[in-house]
Amino acid sequence: MVSLLGFSAPSGGNAALPPEIAFLARQGFDPERLAEAAALARACGTDAATALIHAELIGEETYYRRLALALGVPFLVGDLLRLGDGTCYPDSLVAGLAPLARPGPAAFVRAPRGPAIAALLCDGTASGEGYAITTPRALRDAVFAANPAGIATYAADSLQRHRPDWAFESETQGPRLALVGLMFGAAYLGAEFIPGAILIGTWTVVQLGFLVMVTFRIAAAAVEPDPVPEARLPDTALPVYTVLVALHREARVVPRLVAALARFDYPVAKLDIKLVIEADDTETGDALAAAALPARFEIIRVPGGLPRTKPRALNAALPLARGACLVVYDAEDVPDPNQLRAAAARFAQASHKVACLQGRLVIDNMDDGRLTQCFAIEYAALFDVLIPALASWCIPIPLGGTSTHFRTDILRSLHGWDAWNVTEDADLGIRLARAGYHVADLPSDTLEEAPRAFRPWLHQRTRWMKGFLQTSLTHARAPRDTARQLGILGTLGAIALVPGTVISGLVYPFLMGRAAYDFALFVWSGFPAPGGFWANLPAGASVTLFIAGLLAMLLPAALGCVRREWFDLLAVVPWMPVYFLLVSLAAWAGLIELIRAPNRWNKTEHGLARTSRSGALHPR
C-alpha cells in the first residue's frame, strides 16, 4: 500500500503492532492502516495511537469508543459526560482523569493519551469502583463547562497570584502617574526660578542619556548575526511541538491561517496545534468549523472574563500544551514551513538557559503604501539588525509577540503571560532576563500583515506604547532587585529598549527639533562659539545627538533593507525621521490611554492587505 504520508506501509499481520492499536486489529479494523500508523510511529518516535489519529487514519471519537469496547467500560460523550464536584482545572486535564457526577455509570472518567493507553490496556478493568472512557477533547469541553468562572480567573490572575511582584497592577498606576505629572509640571512652572547653570546642566544630562540609548542601535549595525549550523534533527529526536494561536474576530484570515499551519514540515504525530478563541466569538468559531480542520488542530474556547486580552487567552491554553517546545503565532501570520524544525534544532544545540527563540517578523504587504513601507523597514531594522545583536550580547529583549518559541517547562515556571499587560511579550522578555534566562535569534521568517491605514496603525502602536509603560512601571517597583538581576549592561539595555522607547517617542519632536536647530546654527555660524568647553557643551551635545539620532534611525533601517535585499526600499529610508513623528504621536496617545483605560486592548483588523510581495497573504 502506498501511503498518503509518503512512505509504504509494511504488511504482514498485527504481531508487531504496539498495544495501543493492536486491540483494533482484533476488532476487525483495517490492518493496512494499523501497519501504516505503526510505521509512522516508529519513524517519528511517538506512540501509535497519536500517529493513527493525527494521520487521520481513524477519527478520535471512533478510536476511544473502540478503546472503551476493548476495556469493557462505558464510553461517555456529550450529555452523558457529567463531571463531579472534584473536577479541577488544569489538573484533571493534565492527568486525563476526572470524577463523574453521582449517580453515574462509574466513579470517574479517563481520557488517556500515548503510553497511558497501553498501560490501561495492560491493567484492564481492575480499578476499584470502575471508570468510563471519553475523548481528550470531550473531557476538555466538560471541564471548561463545569467551572468557566474559575478558569477565567486562573487565566487572568495566575501571575498575580504566584508572583505579584512581577505583575502589572493597573489600579495603583493612575495616582503614581498623576504625581509624576504634577512634579514635571511644577518643575516646568518653576523653571524661571532655577539658576541657568542648573537648567543647562540638566538639559545636557538628558541629551547625554539619549546618546547612550541611540548608541545601542548604532552599535547593533556593526554586529554580524551568528551563523546558525544547518543541523537537521531526525524525526525521532524532534520534540512534540505545541502551536498556540489566539484569535478574536479573525474570521477573515482563518482560511489563510489554517493553510499556513498545515504546511509545517514536521511529523504530524508530534504537532499539538491549539487555536484559542473567546467563547462568545461565534464569527471566528463558525469560520473554524467551516475550515475542516485536520485532526492535529484543536479549538479551545476561553470562558468570558476580564481582561479581554490575548495573554489571558494564551494563559487558558498553556496548561494544556503537550509539547516540550511551544510557539505563539498571531492570526495573520504565515510562518516558514521549516520554522519548527529550525527552532527544535536550535534549542537542542543551545544551553538550557536559552529559554526563548525570537523568529524574524517580515511585513509582506509593504507595497500597500508609504506607511506599510516604513513599517516594513522598521521591522527589518528591529528583527534583522537590532534583535540579533541584542541576543549576541545577552541583553534583555522585548519579545515580538509572535514567532516566539519557548521551552514549555520554563514558560510555565514563569506562570505564563501577564494578562493585564497589553504588551505581554515585552514584559515576558524582561521577566525571562530577570529569572536568568536568555533569548536567542531564530533566523526563520514569519510573514505578517501591517495596517495600511493611519487610524488602525495608530491604535495598534498606541497599545504597544501603553504596554511598554506598563512593563516599565512593573519592573521599576523594585529597581535595585531588577538592576541586580539584569546586570549593568542588561539594565542599560532594558531601560533603552522599554521605557526608553516611549520616552524617546514622547520627546522626539522637541529634542530632535532643538538638536536640528543647534546643528543648523553650528553649520551657519561655526563651532566652537566663544566661552570655552563648558559653555559649548550643551550645543555640542545637541549637535552630536542630532547626528547620532539620524544614524540610529537610518543606519539599521538601511542595513535591514540590504540584508533583506529590498534595494527598492532604500529610497524610502530617508522618510524614517518623518515616520517617527507618527510614533511620537502614538507615544503620547499611549501615555494618555494608560491613565484613562489601562487594560483596553486595541484590536487590529487583519485580512485587509491589498498587496503581498510573496503572495502568501493572498493564497489561491
PDB file of all heavy atoms in Angstrom, residues 303-332:
ATOM      1  N   PRO A 303     -13.530  30.848  28.474  1.00  0.00           N
ATOM      2  CA  PRO A 303     -14.715  31.456  29.093  1.00  0.00           C
ATOM      3  C   PRO A 303     -14.575  32.974  29.179  1.00  0.00           C
ATOM      4  O   PRO A 303     -13.477  33.512  29.335  1.00  0.00           O
ATOM      5  CB  PRO A 303     -14.759  30.813  30.488  1.00  0.00           C
ATOM      6  CG  PRO A 303     -13.964  29.557  30.363  1.00  0.00           C
ATOM      7  CD  PRO A 303     -12.908  29.837  29.340  1.00  0.00           C
ATOM      8  N   GLY A 304     -15.697  33.661  29.085  1.00  0.00           N
ATOM      9  CA  GLY A 304     -15.689  35.118  29.145  1.00  0.00           C
ATOM     10  C   GLY A 304     -15.170  35.632  30.474  1.00  0.00           C
ATOM     11  O   GLY A 304     -15.325  34.997  31.521  1.00  0.00           O
ATOM     12  N   GLY A 305     -14.542  36.776  30.431  1.00  0.00           N
ATOM     13  CA  GLY A 305     -13.995  37.395  31.638  1.00  0.00           C
ATOM     14  C   GLY A 305     -13.104  38.557  31.278  1.00  0.00           C
ATOM     15  O   GLY A 305     -12.903  38.870  30.102  1.00  0.00           O
ATOM     16  N   LEU A 306     -12.605  39.212  32.291  1.00  0.00           N
ATOM     17  CA  LEU A 306     -11.707  40.348  32.104  1.00  0.00           C
ATOM     18  C   LEU A 306     -10.325  39.991  32.622  1.00  0.00           C
ATOM     19  O   LEU A 306     -10.187  39.201  33.562  1.00  0.00           O
ATOM     20  CB  LEU A 306     -12.249  41.574  32.853  1.00  0.00           C
ATOM     21  CG  LEU A 306     -13.566  42.153  32.327  1.00  0.00           C
ATOM     22  CD1 LEU A 306     -14.025  43.300  33.232  1.00  0.00           C
ATOM     23  CD2 LEU A 306     -13.439  42.625  30.891  1.00  0.00           C
ATOM     24  N   PRO A 307      -9.301  40.569  32.005  1.00  0.00           N
ATOM     25  CA  PRO A 307      -9.340  41.472  30.857  1.00  0.00           C
ATOM     26  C   PRO A 307      -9.529  40.675  29.569  1.00  0.00           C
ATOM     27  O   PRO A 307      -9.138  39.500  29.493  1.00  0.00           O
ATOM     28  CB  PRO A 307      -7.979  42.149  30.883  1.00  0.00           C
ATOM     29  CG  PRO A 307      -7.069  41.094  31.436  1.00  0.00           C
ATOM     30  CD  PRO A 307      -7.892  40.350  32.467  1.00  0.00           C
ATOM     31  N   ARG A 308     -10.074  41.290  28.563  1.00  0.00           N
ATOM     32  CA  ARG A 308     -10.300  40.607  27.292  1.00  0.00           C
ATOM     33  C   ARG A 308      -9.055  40.823  26.424  1.00  0.00           C
ATOM     34  O   ARG A 308      -9.032  41.655  25.515  1.00  0.00           O
ATOM     35  CB  ARG A 308     -11.545  41.165  26.623  1.00  0.00           C
ATOM     36  CG  ARG A 308     -12.216  40.209  25.657  1.00  0.00           C
ATOM     37  CD  ARG A 308     -13.529  40.818  25.180  1.00  0.00           C
ATOM     38  NE  ARG A 308     -14.214  39.965  24.235  1.00  0.00           N
ATOM     39  CZ  ARG A 308     -15.049  39.004  24.560  1.00  0.00           C
ATOM     40  NH1 ARG A 308     -15.280  38.750  25.831  1.00  0.00           N
ATOM     41  NH2 ARG A 308     -15.653  38.283  23.631  1.00  0.00           N
ATOM     42  N   THR A 309      -8.027  40.055  26.711  1.00  0.00           N
ATOM     43  CA  THR A 309      -6.728  40.267  26.074  1.00  0.00           C
ATOM     44  C   THR A 309      -6.177  38.958  25.532  1.00  0.00           C
ATOM     45  O   THR A 309      -6.573  37.864  25.949  1.00  0.00           O
ATOM     46  CB  THR A 309      -5.711  40.846  27.076  1.00  0.00           C
ATOM     47  OG1 THR A 309      -5.555  39.934  28.173  1.00  0.00           O
ATOM     48  CG2 THR A 309      -6.160  42.199  27.614  1.00  0.00           C
ATOM     49  N   LYS A 310      -5.243  39.099  24.628  1.00  0.00           N
ATOM     50  CA  LYS A 310      -4.558  37.927  24.065  1.00  0.00           C
ATOM     51  C   LYS A 310      -3.835  37.117  25.145  1.00  0.00           C
ATOM     52  O   LYS A 310      -3.939  35.880  25.158  1.00  0.00           O
ATOM     53  CB  LYS A 310      -3.586  38.389  22.986  1.00  0.00           C
ATOM     54  CG  LYS A 310      -2.627  37.326  22.483  1.00  0.00           C
ATOM     55  CD  LYS A 310      -1.621  37.926  21.512  1.00  0.00           C
ATOM     56  CE  LYS A 310      -0.503  36.950  21.167  1.00  0.00           C
ATOM     57  NZ  LYS A 310       0.502  37.573  20.270  1.00  0.00           N
ATOM     58  N   PRO A 311      -3.076  37.748  26.074  1.00  0.00           N
ATOM     59  CA  PRO A 311      -2.377  36.925  27.080  1.00  0.00           C
ATOM     60  C   PRO A 311      -3.315  36.130  27.969  1.00  0.00           C
ATOM     61  O   PRO A 311      -2.968  35.029  28.407  1.00  0.00           O
ATOM     62  CB  PRO A 311      -1.560  37.956  27.870  1.00  0.00           C
ATOM     63  CG  PRO A 311      -2.159  39.282  27.562  1.00  0.00           C
ATOM     64  CD  PRO A 311      -2.699  39.162  26.179  1.00  0.00           C
ATOM     65  N   ARG A 312      -4.504  36.642  28.260  1.00  0.00           N
ATOM     66  CA  ARG A 312      -5.447  35.853  29.059  1.00  0.00           C
ATOM     67  C   ARG A 312      -5.850  34.593  28.305  1.00  0.00           C
ATOM     68  O   ARG A 312      -5.929  33.498  28.889  1.00  0.00           O
ATOM     69  CB  ARG A 312      -6.689  36.681  29.393  1.00  0.00           C
ATOM     70  CG  ARG A 312      -7.662  35.968  30.340  1.00  0.00           C
ATOM     71  CD  ARG A 312      -8.897  36.802  30.582  1.00  0.00           C
ATOM     72  NE  ARG A 312      -9.831  36.684  29.475  1.00  0.00           N
ATOM     73  CZ  ARG A 312     -10.892  35.853  29.463  1.00  0.00           C
ATOM     74  NH1 ARG A 312     -11.118  35.063  30.497  1.00  0.00           N
ATOM     75  NH2 ARG A 312     -11.691  35.817  28.428  1.00  0.00           N
ATOM     76  N   ALA A 313      -6.096  34.728  26.999  1.00  0.00           N
ATOM     77  CA  ALA A 313      -6.451  33.559  26.196  1.00  0.00           C
ATOM     78  C   ALA A 313      -5.308  32.550  26.169  1.00  0.00           C
ATOM     79  O   ALA A 313      -5.523  31.336  26.299  1.00  0.00           O
ATOM     80  CB  ALA A 313      -6.820  34.002  24.781  1.00  0.00           C
ATOM     81  N   LEU A 314      -4.081  33.026  26.015  1.00  0.00           N
ATOM     82  CA  LEU A 314      -2.930  32.125  25.984  1.00  0.00           C
ATOM     83  C   LEU A 314      -2.752  31.414  27.327  1.00  0.00           C
ATOM     84  O   LEU A 314      -2.394  30.229  27.369  1.00  0.00           O
ATOM     85  CB  LEU A 314      -1.669  32.906  25.626  1.00  0.00           C
ATOM     86  CG  LEU A 314      -1.622  33.505  24.215  1.00  0.00           C
ATOM     87  CD1 LEU A 314      -0.347  34.328  24.034  1.00  0.00           C
ATOM     88  CD2 LEU A 314      -1.702  32.419  23.143  1.00  0.00           C
ATOM     89  N   ASN A 315      -2.996  32.128  28.414  1.00  0.00           N
ATOM     90  CA  ASN A 315      -2.859  31.505  29.739  1.00  0.00           C
ATOM     91  C   ASN A 315      -3.839  30.369  29.935  1.00  0.00           C
ATOM     92  O   ASN A 315      -3.538  29.380  30.616  1.00  0.00           O
ATOM     93  CB  ASN A 315      -3.073  32.560  30.831  1.00  0.00           C
ATOM     94  CG  ASN A 315      -1.865  33.438  31.043  1.00  0.00           C
ATOM     95  OD1 ASN A 315      -0.749  33.077  30.678  1.00  0.00           O
ATOM     96  ND2 ASN A 315      -2.081  34.613  31.612  1.00  0.00           N
ATOM     97  N   ALA A 316      -5.032  30.488  29.359  1.00  0.00           N
ATOM     98  CA  ALA A 316      -6.018  29.411  29.494  1.00  0.00           C
ATOM     99  C   ALA A 316      -5.566  28.155  28.766  1.00  0.00           C
ATOM    100  O   ALA A 316      -5.910  27.037  29.167  1.00  0.00           O
ATOM    101  CB  ALA A 316      -7.371  29.879  28.946  1.00  0.00           C
ATOM    102  N   ALA A 317      -4.791  28.324  27.696  1.00  0.00           N
ATOM    103  CA  ALA A 317      -4.349  27.173  26.905  1.00  0.00           C
ATOM    104  C   ALA A 317      -3.016  26.602  27.366  1.00  0.00           C
ATOM    105  O   ALA A 317      -2.728  25.429  27.102  1.00  0.00           O
ATOM    106  CB  ALA A 317      -4.243  27.577  25.432  1.00  0.00           C
ATOM    107  N   LEU A 318      -2.204  27.401  28.031  1.00  0.00           N
ATOM    108  CA  LEU A 318      -0.849  26.963  28.394  1.00  0.00           C
ATOM    109  C   LEU A 318      -0.824  25.661  29.193  1.00  0.00           C
ATOM    110  O   LEU A 318       0.004  24.781  28.902  1.00  0.00           O
ATOM    111  CB  LEU A 318      -0.128  28.079  29.154  1.00  0.00           C
ATOM    112  CG  LEU A 318       1.292  27.766  29.637  1.00  0.00           C
ATOM    113  CD1 LEU A 318       2.202  27.412  28.472  1.00  0.00           C
ATOM    114  CD2 LEU A 318       1.854  28.950  30.435  1.00  0.00           C
ATOM    115  N   PRO A 319      -1.675  25.464  30.204  1.00  0.00           N
ATOM    116  CA  PRO A 319      -1.605  24.195  30.955  1.00  0.00           C
ATOM    117  C   PRO A 319      -1.929  22.972  30.106  1.00  0.00           C
ATOM    118  O   PRO A 319      -1.584  21.853  30.490  1.00  0.00           O
ATOM    119  CB  PRO A 319      -2.664  24.382  32.060  1.00  0.00           C
ATOM    120  CG  PRO A 319      -2.875  25.851  32.161  1.00  0.00           C
ATOM    121  CD  PRO A 319      -2.684  26.377  30.783  1.00  0.00           C
ATOM    122  N   LEU A 320      -2.579  23.169  28.963  1.00  0.00           N
ATOM    123  CA  LEU A 320      -2.986  22.046  28.120  1.00  0.00           C
ATOM    124  C   LEU A 320      -1.953  21.718  27.061  1.00  0.00           C
ATOM    125  O   LEU A 320      -2.127  20.754  26.305  1.00  0.00           O
ATOM    126  CB  LEU A 320      -4.320  22.374  27.444  1.00  0.00           C
ATOM    127  CG  LEU A 320      -5.425  22.943  28.348  1.00  0.00           C
ATOM    128  CD1 LEU A 320      -6.705  23.130  27.559  1.00  0.00           C
ATOM    129  CD2 LEU A 320      -5.651  22.047  29.553  1.00  0.00           C
ATOM    130  N   ALA A 321      -0.883  22.518  26.984  1.00  0.00           N
ATOM    131  CA  ALA A 321       0.152  22.279  25.973  1.00  0.00           C
ATOM    132  C   ALA A 321       0.844  20.953  26.244  1.00  0.00           C
ATOM    133  O   ALA A 321       1.304  20.689  27.353  1.00  0.00           O
ATOM    134  CB  ALA A 321       1.163  23.424  25.980  1.00  0.00           C
ATOM    135  N   ARG A 322       0.949  20.116  25.209  1.00  0.00           N
ATOM    136  CA  ARG A 322       1.576  18.802  25.352  1.00  0.00           C
ATOM    137  C   ARG A 322       3.018  18.790  24.877  1.00  0.00           C
ATOM    138  O   ARG A 322       3.730  17.813  25.077  1.00  0.00           O
ATOM    139  CB  ARG A 322       0.777  17.751  24.576  1.00  0.00           C
ATOM    140  CG  ARG A 322      -0.623  17.531  25.120  1.00  0.00           C
ATOM    141  CD  ARG A 322      -1.324  16.373  24.449  1.00  0.00           C
ATOM    142  NE  ARG A 322      -1.636  16.636  23.039  1.00  0.00           N
ATOM    143  CZ  ARG A 322      -1.014  16.074  22.021  1.00  0.00           C
ATOM    144  NH1 ARG A 322      -0.032  15.207  22.228  1.00  0.00           N
ATOM    145  NH2 ARG A 322      -1.352  16.363  20.784  1.00  0.00           N
ATOM    146  N   GLY A 323       3.463  19.886  24.256  1.00  0.00           N
ATOM    147  CA  GLY A 323       4.794  19.918  23.687  1.00  0.00           C
ATOM    148  C   GLY A 323       5.869  20.319  24.671  1.00  0.00           C
ATOM    149  O   GLY A 323       5.635  21.107  25.592  1.00  0.00           O
ATOM    150  N   ALA A 324       7.078  19.784  24.474  1.00  0.00           N
ATOM    151  CA  ALA A 324       8.240  20.246  25.233  1.00  0.00           C
ATOM    152  C   ALA A 324       8.650  21.632  24.767  1.00  0.00           C
ATOM    153  O   ALA A 324       9.274  22.386  25.510  1.00  0.00           O
ATOM    154  CB  ALA A 324       9.402  19.273  25.071  1.00  0.00           C
ATOM    155  N   CYS A 325       8.315  21.966  23.518  1.00  0.00           N
ATOM    156  CA  CYS A 325       8.529  23.298  22.971  1.00  0.00           C
ATOM    157  C   CYS A 325       7.183  23.877  22.567  1.00  0.00           C
ATOM    158  O   CYS A 325       6.236  23.142  22.270  1.00  0.00           O
ATOM    159  CB  CYS A 325       9.465  23.260  21.763  1.00  0.00           C
ATOM    160  SG  CYS A 325      11.118  22.656  22.115  1.00  0.00           S
ATOM    161  N   LEU A 326       7.113  25.198  22.569  1.00  0.00           N
ATOM    162  CA  LEU A 326       5.846  25.877  22.306  1.00  0.00           C
ATOM    163  C   LEU A 326       6.124  27.157  21.539  1.00  0.00           C
ATOM    164  O   LEU A 326       7.095  27.870  21.828  1.00  0.00           O
ATOM    165  CB  LEU A 326       5.145  26.177  23.628  1.00  0.00           C
ATOM    166  CG  LEU A 326       3.824  26.939  23.638  1.00  0.00           C
ATOM    167  CD1 LEU A 326       2.995  26.503  24.864  1.00  0.00           C
ATOM    168  CD2 LEU A 326       4.018  28.453  23.693  1.00  0.00           C
ATOM    169  N   VAL A 327       5.283  27.453  20.563  1.00  0.00           N
ATOM    170  CA  VAL A 327       5.425  28.687  19.797  1.00  0.00           C
ATOM    171  C   VAL A 327       4.086  29.408  19.767  1.00  0.00           C
ATOM    172  O   VAL A 327       3.029  28.787  19.748  1.00  0.00           O
ATOM    173  CB  VAL A 327       5.926  28.417  18.361  1.00  0.00           C
ATOM    174  CG1 VAL A 327       4.955  27.541  17.595  1.00  0.00           C
ATOM    175  CG2 VAL A 327       6.186  29.718  17.605  1.00  0.00           C
ATOM    176  N   VAL A 328       4.164  30.739  19.775  1.00  0.00           N
ATOM    177  CA  VAL A 328       2.972  31.578  19.678  1.00  0.00           C
ATOM    178  C   VAL A 328       2.986  32.292  18.334  1.00  0.00           C
ATOM    179  O   VAL A 328       4.005  32.884  17.952  1.00  0.00           O
ATOM    180  CB  VAL A 328       2.933  32.613  20.822  1.00  0.00           C
ATOM    181  CG1 VAL A 328       1.751  33.562  20.647  1.00  0.00           C
ATOM    182  CG2 VAL A 328       2.857  31.920  22.170  1.00  0.00           C
ATOM    183  N   TYR A 329       1.860  32.229  17.636  1.00  0.00           N
ATOM    184  CA  TYR A 329       1.687  32.987  16.401  1.00  0.00           C
ATOM    185  C   TYR A 329       0.464  33.874  16.517  1.00  0.00           C
ATOM    186  O   TYR A 329      -0.445  33.615  17.317  1.00  0.00           O
ATOM    187  CB  TYR A 329       1.511  32.048  15.193  1.00  0.00           C
ATOM    188  CG  TYR A 329       2.745  31.263  14.829  1.00  0.00           C
ATOM    189  CD1 TYR A 329       2.755  29.871  14.933  1.00  0.00           C
ATOM    190  CD2 TYR A 329       3.895  31.898  14.375  1.00  0.00           C
ATOM    191  CE1 TYR A 329       3.883  29.140  14.593  1.00  0.00           C
ATOM    192  CE2 TYR A 329       5.026  31.164  14.037  1.00  0.00           C
ATOM    193  CZ  TYR A 329       5.018  29.799  14.159  1.00  0.00           C
ATOM    194  OH  TYR A 329       6.141  29.078  13.825  1.00  0.00           O
ATOM    195  N   ASP A 330       0.438  34.925  15.682  1.00  0.00           N
ATOM    196  CA  ASP A 330      -0.756  35.745  15.546  1.00  0.00           C
ATOM    197  C   ASP A 330      -1.619  35.196  14.417  1.00  0.00           C
ATOM    198  O   ASP A 330      -1.146  34.435  13.555  1.00  0.00           O
ATOM    199  CB  ASP A 330      -0.380  37.196  15.259  1.00  0.00           C
ATOM    200  CG  ASP A 330       0.100  37.920  16.506  1.00  0.00           C
ATOM    201  OD1 ASP A 330      -0.184  37.437  17.618  1.00  0.00           O
ATOM    202  OD2 ASP A 330       0.749  38.978  16.372  1.00  0.00           O
ATOM    203  N   ALA A 331      -2.873  35.637  14.395  1.00  0.00           N
ATOM    204  CA  ALA A 331      -3.826  35.070  13.452  1.00  0.00           C
ATOM    205  C   ALA A 331      -3.459  35.352  12.007  1.00  0.00           C
ATOM    206  O   ALA A 331      -3.793  34.569  11.115  1.00  0.00           O
ATOM    207  CB  ALA A 331      -5.228  35.620  13.746  1.00  0.00           C
ATOM    208  N   GLU A 332      -2.778  36.468  11.748  1.00  0.00           N
ATOM    209  CA  GLU A 332      -2.464  36.833  10.360  1.00  0.00           C
ATOM    210  C   GLU A 332      -1.139  36.278   9.875  1.00  0.00           C
ATOM    211  O   GLU A 332      -0.725  36.539   8.738  1.00  0.00           O
ATOM    212  CB  GLU A 332      -2.446  38.366  10.222  1.00  0.00           C
ATOM    213  CG  GLU A 332      -1.202  39.055  10.738  1.00  0.00           C
ATOM    214  CD  GLU A 332      -1.214  39.341  12.233  1.00  0.00           C
ATOM    215  OE1 GLU A 332      -2.039  38.721  12.943  1.00  0.00           O
ATOM    216  OE2 GLU A 332      -0.420  40.182  12.685  1.00  0.00           O
TER     217      GLU A 332
END
